[in-house]
Amino acid sequence: MAPGSSVFKEVLESHLMSSDYETGKAKSEAKSNITSTKSSVGLSGKSGISSNNGVYELLGCPVCKNLMYPPIHQCPNGHTLCSHCKVEVHNICPSCHHDLGNIRCLALEKVAESLELPCRYQSLGCHDIFPYYTKLKHEQNCGFRPYNCPYAGSECSVMGDIPTLVAHLKDDHKVDMHDGCTFNHRYVKANPHEVENATWMLTVFNSFGRHFCLHFEAFQLGSAPVYMAFLRFMGDDNEAKKFSYSLEVGANGRKLIWQGIPRSIRDSHRKVRDSQDGLIIQRNLALYFSGGERQELKLRITGRIWREE
């Protein structure tokens, strides 16, 4: 049996008795158990608590399998789940199918407060230990947190650090790789009126020793068909803010110019697109820029990346 597991079992059982309006003795026992548990778990937490520890498993939501944070809910029979999944299961306990009501598992929340745990990215190089309730915030900004593949043409599940993803984009997605901070790209489509949703091949630029992804696609903005180009930075948001970029498209004496800050690939491709954070070209104007009889899309987009001082 893992160290402290019997103690935590007593904590949970005593709390369940109190929720059923048993004697005040059960409450005092729960309080003393929590106090003794804090010291024993704190010591083991300094070297990290493994996922097979009984206490750690009690803090896992049985529905989404993620760690639970306050408010932690329980049904009248003592089954726990997180607040997000309480909504997802329509307030019905997934274990015994009783109505969940609005019962808080205060003992488990108190137990969690006493824990110190390693970062979930420990195997990737982060060896710090954190109090339970600050662990999640750290992991969202951990320098060892892997990135999702930024390729937008498919639902790619590959994750990794930036060098891994650059190699993956080149070898598996056959993405065009370019060096330099200026670019000149031409996008062509034979039947643009038939395009309601399309993603052109991603292009990756190596500029200032960092990598940037250039996206171009067609989609519906409300009822209006549009084209959009935008740049994403392969790194965290605080690094992305050190750079700026511009995009330009035009013909026949007209010109559209966009200037902005590249978004981190922490933000999904769809999130950036839906926020309209890029160069947006209405289809009619895009076809005007294309010349001819407006039957074929021929857009030339130029751009530049620079570092902010």
Side-chain angles (χ1 to χ4, degrees), residues 20-280:
D20 289 333
Y21 307 101
E22 290 290 343
T23 66
K25 180 181 177 182
K27 295 182 180 179
S28 62
E29 287 177 352
K31 183 176 180 180
S32 63
N33 283 336
I34 289 170
T35 302
S36 62
T37 296
K38 184 170 183 177
S39 60
S40 62
V41 174
L43 289 173
S44 61
K46 290 297 182 181
S47 58
I49 297 178
S50 61
S51 60
N52 61 5
N53 182 284
V55 180
Y56 191 76
E57 289 179 352
L58 286 174
L59 289 165
C61 175
V63 178
C64 66
K65 310 303 181 185
N66 293 323
L67 290 176
M68 295 186 288
Y69 294 86
I72 298 175
H73 297 276
Q74 70 172 29
C75 76
N77 290 325
H79 302 121
T80 57
L81 78 166
C82 71
S83 56
H84 172 76
C85 290
K86 182 176 185 287
V87 177
E88 294 296 314
V89 300
H90 305 292
N91 212 39
I92 300 297
C93 176
S95 300
C96 64
H97 307 295
H98 276 76
D99 287 341
L100 285 167
N102 198 31
I103 305 173
R104 289 274 294 274
C105 190
L106 300 178
L108 191 55
E109 291 180 11
K110 189 69 176 177
V111 167
E113 187 178 314
S114 70
L115 293 177
E116 290 183 324
L117 303 173
C119 174
R120 69 183 297 181
Y121 305 118
Q122 185 181 49
S123 62
L124 300 178
C126 183
H127 301 298
D128 292 331
I129 303 295
F130 300 91
Y132 186 84
Y133 289 139
T134 62
K135 176 176 177 286
L136 184 64
K137 183 177 181 180
H138 159 78
E139 289 172 349
Q140 292 172 341
N141 301 289
C142 179
F144 294 93
R145 176 187 170 196
Y147 296 86
N148 294 312
C149 173
Y151 192 78
S154 63
E155 295 297 327
C156 183
S157 60
V158 170
M159 299 177 68
D161 58 17
I162 299 303
T164 298
L165 289 183
V166 170
H168 164 69
L169 289 170
K170 181 179 179 181
D171 298 336
D172 298 329
H173 292 299
K174 310 302 179 185
V175 166
D176 289 335
M177 301 281 177
H178 298 274
D179 293 328
C181 55
T182 60
F183 48 89
N184 187 331
H185 275 249
R186 192 164 182 249
Y187 297 96
V188 178
K189 195 69 178 179
N191 299 303
H193 291 285
E194 298 177 4
V195 178
E196 300 297 333
N197 237 316
T199 300
W200 273 255
M201 180 64 74
L202 179 70
T203 305
V204 174
F205 297 94
N206 181 1
S207 303
F208 306 100
R210 310 307 292 268
H211 291 86
F212 301 81
C213 300
L214 177 63
H215 297 264
F216 183 78
E217 61 185 272
F219 65 101
Q220 292 285 131
L221 185 58
S223 59
V226 300
Y227 298 96
M228 181 174 176
F230 56 91
L231 203 68
R232 293 165 77 201
F233 175 73
M234 295 187 70
D236 285 326
D237 186 61
N238 60 337
E239 288 292 317
K241 292 176 181 176
K242 297 177 181 179
F243 299 91
S244 293
Y245 75 102
S246 64
L247 298 173
E248 182 178 311
V249 61
N252 302 319
R254 278 86 171 171
K255 183 185 295 185
L256 285 179
I257 299 175
W258 164 266
Q259 181 174 320
I261 298 171
R263 296 278 287 273
S264 166
I265 59 172
R266 292 288 189 208
D267 290 334
S268 69
H269 151 268
R270 182 174 292 276
K271 180 178 180 179
V272 179
R273 189 196 74 178
D274 291 349
S275 68
Q276 303 173 39
D277 193 2
L279 175 66
I280 297 177

